[in-house]
Amino acid sequence: LILHRFFGDASGFVDMLQHHVPSPIDSAASKVENIYTGLRDSSCMADMTACDPSGALMINVVKLYSAPDGVTFHAFGRIYSGTLKVGDSVKVLGEAYSLDDEEDMAVCEVTGISIGEGRYRLDVERAGAGNWVMIQGVDAPINKTATITSVRGNDDATIFRPLSFNTTAVMKLAVEPLNPAELPKMVEGLRRISKSYPATATKVEESGEHVIFGTGELSLDCIMHDLRRMYSDIEVKTADPVTAFCETVVETSALKCFAETPNKRNKLTMIAEPLEEGLAEDIERGEVSIDWDRKQLGEFFQSKYDWDLLAARSVWAFGPDIDGPNILVDDTLPSEVDKKLLKQVQESVVQGFQWGCREGPLCDEPIRNTKFKILDATIAPEPIHRGGGQIIPTARRVAYSAFLMATPRLMEPVMELQIQAPADVVSSIFPVLARRRGHVVQDTPKPGAPFYTIKAYLPAIDSFGFETDLRAFTQGQAMCFQTFDHWSIVPGDPLDRSIVLHPLEPSPPPQLARDFMVKTRRRKGLSEDVSIQKFFDDPMLMELAKQDAEMSNMM
């Protein structure tokens, strides 16, 4: 009553939303322009732009909320056009759906519609364009996000762009059930975890290990609580948390690497080299797309990164996916290579390149920040001798050999820390960071408050338990917020076999890359060392031996 007398009705927040947030009709055009992947002149695009309740049904599902039973989910989405009714049959288009490949599509029946009102939900029989609704009965085929449209009369509809996040799930946790007989329950629980947490992913390694990728320690704690208590209701064991790594190169391949197909009718020659600084991040942010025409791609690479125009227009693919941080370039000359035959096998070469980028040769981690150039190609004229079964594994193998000849290195994720602490405990923070390979980049007082704001970088693999140490050293007076910031090259050569690793002892910085690679390979059930015989053909090994002999004679 007292506050009411001084400040009036408690309607400020709602009034602010009404005044500053545009209505669905006013904002529809700009929203659809940014998130819809279909043609701009299609009929459903016109309906969504007008927010027409009598037009074609188009709903963008952005989140799945668990039902009280912990088994089903309510799909939360916005109706951009059309009207949805209980009992309607709808098409659910997944993130991998396209007009050319309709595999990721299912038909479901809407069993319930509700509108969220704070902690309550109001059940309704129908909802029109412009509403945010919770939909029941359509969650089974949805993984993260989806597009819902009508079953008939909207055949040219495509999907809304999947959500992108400004952070990356780089922390890994291996899990297994305490009772092996309950493995199916845990697998189903992991599937529900993947649905419930938008930035989380789950994966089964080749060794059979089930791995959860999370964005931080708190995220993994919440995931494990939900997995044990809500989604599987079983006891789950966990290994020590680790981080994801990436593989990269720091030099150009020492020699042109080649590989022949098993039938000896085709031969690919390739080299690898590092990408220009900032290019991988531009690809991931969507500032350049492989879907652009060759002229637009050429202008981007030529103007921003000073590429040769011919090479800039010869970009074949990004890897391991359409916004991956690696590039495949056709650098062959028409006078030396039959371009028509090479074009016939382009799709197979791209598949092999993307397969290789997905699982690198060092420890089966993704490749990053690497450009692969095709320098020469001998392709069989008969289609039967240049099928995908011949070309795809050969393209992957030659990419691996070029990668290994270009001074490969490991990359680790680095977290950005924002620490707030009183001035008298700031000096206690520096040794905590130094013990974990962290360093401070900014240290400034916070205006209007008796606090200092400290910005620091800390390798993710050394960040486990950091907040506990920080509170202990500052008597609980420091607060920390951490998020993924960038990838950094791990010091040391991962292929240096002269390094002797001592169990239960921390490795010095020059040995870290070797230490991380060996431990990652052991965890995945791989041999400790990378075998070059696995990726190099016999003629390639003979060429390497010949070069070694020439170098020895020169010395």
Side-chain angles (χ1 to χ4, degrees), residues 232-245:
S232 61
D233 197 23
I234 61 173
E235 286 298 320
V236 178
K237 294 190 298 183
T238 62
D240 291 335
V242 292
T243 61
F245 292 100

Side-chain angles (χ1 to χ4, degrees), residues 533-553:
Q533 283 80 9
K534 186 177 178 182
F535 308 120
F536 289 78
D537 291 346
D538 289 339
M540 186 70 193
L541 290 172
M542 292 174 63
E543 183 71 21
L544 282 172
K546 181 180 176 182
Q547 287 214 359
D548 285 344
E550 290 176 356
M551 290 289 292
S552 300
N553 292 334

Side-chain angles (χ1 to χ4, degrees), residues 265-546:
R265 300 294 187 94
N266 308 275
K267 180 180 175 182
L268 295 173
T269 304
M270 195 179 286
I271 62 169
E273 61 184 43
L275 282 181
E276 289 79 359
E277 185 177 353
L279 179 50
E281 289 74 17
D282 280 352
I283 297 173
E284 290 178 324
R285 285 194 298 264
E287 294 188 16
V288 57
S289 172
I290 196 63
D291 296 328
W292 291 357
D293 59 61
R294 294 177 63 183
K295 183 178 179 182
Q296 190 177 2
L297 270 176
E299 289 175 353
F300 175 85
F301 286 113
Q302 186 184 30
S303 61
K304 189 165 184 179
Y305 293 102
D306 200 26
W307 279 29
D308 172 69
L309 183 59
L310 185 61
R313 292 187 177 184
S314 301
V315 174
W316 270 12
F318 298 154
D321 41 44
I322 58 171
D323 57 354
N326 304 285
I327 296 180
L328 177 64
V329 179
D330 173 19
D331 209 24
T332 57
L333 298 175
S335 58
E336 299 176 356
V337 175
D338 189 334
K339 288 284 191 176
K340 288 185 178 179
L341 286 178
L342 186 58
K343 194 72 175 175
Q344 295 292 322
V345 298
Q346 177 177 345
E347 186 176 341
S348 296
V349 174
V350 168
Q351 287 184 37
F353 155 74
Q354 292 182 333
W355 181 17
C357 290
R358 195 171 294 113
E359 300 171 349
L362 295 183
C363 48
D364 276 3
E365 295 288 330
I367 292 176
R368 181 180 179 81
N369 206 45
T370 305
K371 181 200 299 182
F372 293 90
K373 287 183 177 180
I374 304 172
L375 300 183
D376 193 14
T378 304
I379 307 299
E382 303 88 356
I384 194 172
H385 295 310
R386 48 180 162 87
Q390 297 285 336
I391 302 296
I392 293 174
T394 303
R396 173 178 178 250
R397 198 166 66 250
V398 71
Y400 279 171
S401 58
F403 182 90
L404 291 171
M405 294 301 297
T407 316
R409 291 289 184 266
L410 274 186
M411 300 185 82
E412 63 179 346
V414 177
M415 312 296 281
E416 179 188 317
L417 307 182
Q418 295 283 352
I419 305 172
Q420 286 192 6
D424 56 336
V425 300
V426 168
S427 59
S428 304
I429 296 173
F430 290 86
V432 184
L433 285 167
R435 289 195 317 172
R436 296 170 174 265
R437 295 193 293 136
H439 63 279
V440 174
V441 294
Q442 192 176 7
D443 176 9
T444 56
K446 188 173 183 180
F451 291 107
Y452 267 71
T453 300
I454 299 169
K455 180 181 176 182
Y457 290 127
L458 180 67
I461 199 165
D462 292 314
S463 68
F464 298 107
F466 170 75
E467 292 190 36
T468 303
D469 278 2
L470 183 67
R471 293 191 190 101
F473 274 73
T474 61
Q475 291 82 45
Q477 298 181 71
M479 296 179 293
C480 175
F481 173 77
Q482 53 182 309
T483 183
F484 169 77
D485 187 79
H486 65 276
W487 293 92
S488 175
I489 293 179
V490 181
D493 182 2
L495 299 179
D496 186 357
R497 299 188 181 186
S498 64
I499 294 175
V500 179
L501 301 176
H502 301 284
L504 305 178
E505 291 184 14
S507 298
Q511 300 179 9
L512 280 175
R514 177 72 177 176
D515 186 24
F516 292 161
M517 187 195 78
V518 169
K519 288 179 178 176
T520 303
R521 291 181 68 87
R522 284 176 186 165
R523 191 172 63 250
K524 293 185 176 183
L526 305 172
S527 60
E528 286 195 6
D529 269 315
V530 180
S531 172
I532 62 170
Q533 283 80 9
K534 186 177 178 182
F535 308 120
F536 289 78
D537 291 346
D538 289 339
M540 186 70 193
L541 290 172
M542 292 174 63
E543 183 71 21
L544 282 172
K546 181 180 176 182

Side-chain angles (χ1 to χ4, degrees), residues 98-133:
S98 68
L99 294 176
D100 299 325
D101 182 6
E102 298 185 353
E103 183 178 353
D104 193 8
M105 185 266 288
V107 176
C108 300
E109 181 180 342
V110 177
T111 59
I113 305 172
S114 57
I115 296 177
E117 296 184 348
R119 53 181 174 162
Y120 305 106
R121 292 176 185 170
L122 176 65
D123 291 332
V124 295
E125 289 297 316
R126 57 190 293 157
N131 284 300
W132 284 96
V133 294

Side-chain angles (χ1 to χ4, degrees), residues 28 54 60 66 128 134 146 190 225 263 288 291 346 370 445 545:
S54 60
N60 182 20
S66 176
M134 307 283 283
L190 289 175
H225 175 273
N263 63 7
V288 57
D291 296 328
Q346 177 177 345
T370 305

